[in-house]
Amino acid sequence: VDGDDPSLQPSAAKEVKLELKERKEKKQKVDEDEIQKMQILVSSFSEEQMNRYALYRRSAFPKAAIKRLIQSITGTSVSQNVVIAMSGISKVFVGEVVEEALDVCEKWGELPPLQPKHMREAVRRLKARGQIPNSKYKKIIF
Amino acid sequence: EEDAEEAGGGLDGGQGRRQRLFSKELRCMMYGFGDDQNPYTESVDILEDLVIEFITEMTHKAMSIGRQGRVQVEDIVFLIRKDPRKFARVKDLLTMNEELKRARKAFDEANYGS
């Protein structure tokens, strides 16, 4: 096939192929390292850390409720993939708010459980960074 | 602190709250993300309102792009393209779902013929 394309020298084509293969192998090695590091980390968890990690992984929004919510807004049906995607990004969103709230809580010299004032300050900060969608109000730059 | 009402019905303490949709799941999520094992109900409620607002915004935006009036996965992916965490998460979830479907199909064909 290389011989058919006069603009590509056989050796150049081989170089490209080799580089792609090396990049793929490197990525696989990085993934394997990541997996190994995670295993070492998880195996050194205390019981409390393990409990928390298990819930971190397992907690999820009930698909039926999310589907109902979206469909009540659109008035039409939505695919399973839409429900999966929306549930997933909603969980990421919750994580962002909780992490920010924990930051606020710590900065104010206080402890969990998180209080409404922490949540509200967290939202204020995330909005200022443009991390919370808000189409109801136009940002005035000057 | 006042005792909060149980989720799911009864008096709402005068704040006009609608019925709670995912209190239980949110509590687990908050603990998973670093809150106390027993989060304050008021905080859980605030978070639920935020999530519903988030989903509502996303849904309206998705309806206004692509195929009008409908929400499709492509719309969601487009809307969060600039948010690295959410974008990566959606890609992962959709890939995993495809792999699961393929695996299930292969299993069914092996057991029951195509």
Side-chain angles (χ1 to χ4, degrees), chain A residues 28-81:
Chain A
Q28 278 180 335
K29 179 102 204 328
V30 168
D31 286 341
E32 283 163 12
D33 283 345
E34 274 292 309
I35 294 173
Q36 211 180 28
K37 284 187 202 161
M38 272 305 283
Q39 286 176 338
I40 296 173
L41 178 63
V42 174
S43 63
S44 60
F45 278 171
S46 69
E47 189 179 331
E48 210 243 317
Q49 286 172 324
M50 193 46 118
N51 281 339
R52 195 189 290 276
Y53 183 64
L55 277 177
Y56 161 74
R57 296 281 301 256
R58 264 193 248 133
S59 59
F61 291 110
K63 294 228 171 349
I66 300 290
K67 187 168 198 187
R68 241 178 289 132
L69 177 56
I70 300 174
Q71 287 182 174
S72 75
I73 299 169
T74 68
T76 68
S77 65
V78 292
S79 72
Q80 188 198 50
N81 272 353

Side-chain angles (χ1 to χ4, degrees), chain B residues 21-34:
Chain B
L21 296 176
F22 12 79
S23 264
K24 258 187 257 143
E25 292 86 359
L26 267 177
R27 269 172 213 279
C28 296
M29 238 181 249
M30 289 171 76
Y31 173 55
F33 282 123

